[in-house]
Amino acid sequence: MLIVIATLPGKPEKRTEIAGVLASAAATSRGDAGCLSYAFHVDVEDPDRWVSVETWSDQASLDAHFATPHLAELFRVAPELLSGDPVIQTYESDGPKS
């Protein structure tokens, strides 16, 4: 299982638009093969910093996600909504321990 955490610095004046774009991207991405969870959150210390937390079954599923039209659209509009580059980190996990 892969865990992806992305931090996106939003432009304050675009906050409402960002929320809509990210909500749509998350909802669509949850339908991608291999997506176990996908959600965006607002940083409690900085309301213009958005954080996505995603879990994917395997690398092939994540690679396929990056090739989808909905993610291409997100990357297309991102420069007008973000104040800087996103930071994306990927971690491997064996899943929950019982």
Side-chain angles (χ1 to χ4, degrees):
M1 177 171 67
L2 297 174
I3 301 166
V4 179
I5 300 174
T7 304
L8 299 88
K11 293 179 180 175
E13 68 277 12
K14 298 287 187 172
R15 191 175 299 139
T16 300
E17 188 176 350
I18 293 168
V21 167
L22 297 182
S24 177
T28 305
S29 295
R30 285 186 205 106
D32 290 349
C35 181
L36 304 174
S37 67
Y38 198 112
F40 282 98
H41 309 276
V42 177
D43 186 316
V44 297
E45 295 178 347
D46 181 351
D48 296 312
R49 184 170 41 212
W50 301 81
V51 180
S52 76
V53 180
E54 314 163 24
T55 53
W56 296 89
S57 59
D58 53 40
Q59 186 64 52
S61 297
L62 180 58
D63 291 344
H65 167 66
F66 274 103
T68 60
H70 56 271
L71 204 62
E73 176 61 13
L74 178 60
F75 289 142
R76 185 189 71 75
V77 301
E80 61 194 59
L81 302 175
L82 302 180
S83 63
D85 293 330
V87 175
I88 303 172
Q89 300 171 306
T90 304
Y91 304 91
E92 291 187 45
S93 173
D94 293 333
K97 306 292 185 221
S98 49

